[in-house]
Amino acid sequence: MTEFTPPLAETSKWPLPKAGRRVVIPQTLVDELAGHPLCRDCQPHGVGYYPAAAGHHMGRVAPADDLFIYCLAGSGVAEVEGVRRPVRAGEVLLLREGRRHRYRANPGDPWTIYWVHLGGAGVAAYFDEIQSDERAFTVSVGVHSRLTEELELLLATATRFQRQHQLYAANLLKSVLSYMALMRRQRQSRNAALDVARVQAWLQTRLHEKIDLGELVAATSALSRYHFIREYKRHTGQTPMQAFQHLKISRACYLLDITELSVADVAADLGYEDPYHFSRQFKKVMGVAPRDYRRERSAHLRD
């Protein structure tokens, strides 16, 4: 009888809401790629996104892999080997293999987080680059659209349990960690009337939903709706809702490229109840319908 090997990614049992996502990569696939030169130094074992995670908590005595938690909103608290620290929006919590830890969302202000279980010979070096002091296991890197976008791509890619997708996921993970290290070094106070990076990051985490402008304004600034739109357009050249539409279509292109999902399924994944409305919006941005886009891309790859 073959002995069962438990997965390295020991995730919490927090019940996923509709908008939450969690994927644990099969241990056989992790083991198969552990020696591959493109991912042996840094490889994802599991990835997730927990929005407004009320009741989320976890503790591990001797974790078998490394873990980071990137807090986008809300707050939580973490303890590593007896040292306790708050975790706030814009901070990353770095939890190293073998070190006893526990953490939980703030009951009154539950965090929204991305998390990644990971392993490999190079993870400690990546964590060292992010941390200025290894004892300071919470690091302020800021809320950035680049990070949320790449974590979204990592989550979508890791869900595909094929070798090529996992190699790509490993290198997306390295990009995320490298960018966190860069942002830690460049972190400085923001004095702008509108933090566009914060707005973009918030939009990136809502690509699966329908939102209204009032919700966006309230979540990301203290400005009035009029001044919010004016400042956003001054910085980006488009309105917030136009930007959200373009982010959704960009995400749709990615899904059409790397998956076999139907157009209707892609539309549903992006919060469109009517696939025909989605197709019209896609064509308005891309100049072609989703099916034509996929067919042209496939033909281009064959050439």
Side-chain angles (χ1 to χ4, degrees):
M1 180 180 295
T2 303
E3 183 179 352
F4 171 72
T5 303
L8 290 172
E10 182 190 354
T11 64
S12 71
K13 305 304 181 188
W14 186 69
L16 279 176
K18 184 177 180 180
R21 284 159 287 154
R22 175 169 57 213
V23 57
V24 176
I25 299 164
Q27 188 61 44
T28 52
L29 187 53
V30 171
D31 292 342
E32 177 187 338
L33 293 174
H36 195 286
L38 295 182
C39 61
R40 64 189 173 202
D41 58 333
C42 186
Q43 181 183 13
H45 299 161
V47 188
Y49 169 68
Y50 293 171
H56 176 231
H57 67 279
M58 188 62 180
R60 301 175 182 86
V61 176
D65 61 1
D66 301 286
L67 167 67
F68 73 77
I69 295 174
Y70 177 46
C71 182
L72 292 171
S75 60
V77 64
E79 182 180 304
V80 175
E81 296 184 337
V83 178
R84 185 182 176 93
R85 298 188 189 280
V87 183
R88 305 179 182 89
E91 293 183 337
V92 58
L93 171 61
L94 301 171
L95 302 170
R96 301 193 184 224
E97 175 186 356
R99 297 189 180 180
R100 174 173 53 90
H101 65 248
R102 58 180 178 174
Y103 51 82
R104 63 173 175 82
N106 184 338
D109 183 28
W111 59 20
T112 293
I113 59 172
Y114 283 97
W115 56 261
V116 181
H117 282 268
L118 65 162
V123 173
Y126 280 108
F127 277 20
D128 288 343
E129 284 295 312
I130 297 170
Q131 291 173 286
S132 56
D133 179 352
E134 188 175 314
R135 296 167 296 177
F137 49 86
T138 60
V139 181
S140 180
V141 297
V143 178
H144 299 282
S145 59
R146 164 77 181 271
L147 278 177
T148 52
E149 180 181 2
E150 291 205 343
L151 285 164
E152 275 293 319
L153 295 181
L154 175 60
L155 183 51
T157 306
T159 308
R160 308 283 292 173
F161 298 147
Q162 282 87 37
R163 179 176 177 276
Q164 293 81 2
H165 287 85
Q166 294 302 316
L167 291 176
Y168 179 46
N171 286 277
L172 277 172
L173 176 56
K174 295 174 191 178
S175 177
V176 166
L177 294 169
S178 299
Y179 192 72
M180 284 180 174
L182 178 62
M183 289 302 98
R184 195 270 295 176
R185 284 172 169 77
Q186 294 186 346
R187 182 73 175 142
Q188 57 187 4
S189 299
R190 292 185 176 272
N191 298 314
L194 178 65
D195 186 345
V196 175
R198 181 182 180 188
V199 176
Q200 297 298 99
W202 192 90
L203 290 174
Q204 283 284 351
T205 65
R206 302 304 193 282
L207 295 183
H208 306 274
E209 307 172 19
K210 293 188 294 185
I211 65 167
D212 61 53
L213 182 60
E215 181 185 8
L216 171 62
V217 174
T220 60
S221 84
L223 298 175
S224 69
R225 182 183 297 221
Y226 169 77
H227 285 97
F228 182 94
I229 295 172
R230 188 182 68 176
E231 283 296 303
Y232 188 89
K233 192 168 184 178
R234 183 172 69 85
H235 283 283
T236 68
Q238 56 186 339
T239 69
M241 301 313 287
Q242 286 172 337
F244 188 51
Q245 180 71 26
H246 280 79
L247 288 172
K248 279 180 175 279
I249 298 306
S250 177
R251 168 75 171 169
C253 290
Y254 180 78
L255 292 174
L256 290 167
D257 285 343
I258 74 158
T259 76
E260 287 76 45
L261 291 173
S262 68
V263 171
D265 286 339
V266 171
D269 186 75
L270 293 169
Y272 290 93
E273 296 177 359
D274 181 357
Y276 296 104
H277 175 65
F278 162 71
S279 294
R280 289 193 296 271
Q281 295 301 313
F282 187 97
K283 187 172 183 179
K284 185 183 297 184
V285 174
M286 299 300 298
V288 294
R291 287 187 176 85
D292 294 332
Y293 170 86
R294 174 175 272 169
R295 184 162 51 249
E296 289 174 8
R297 293 282 290 181
S298 297
H300 175 73
L301 290 173
R302 289 196 300 269
D303 291 341

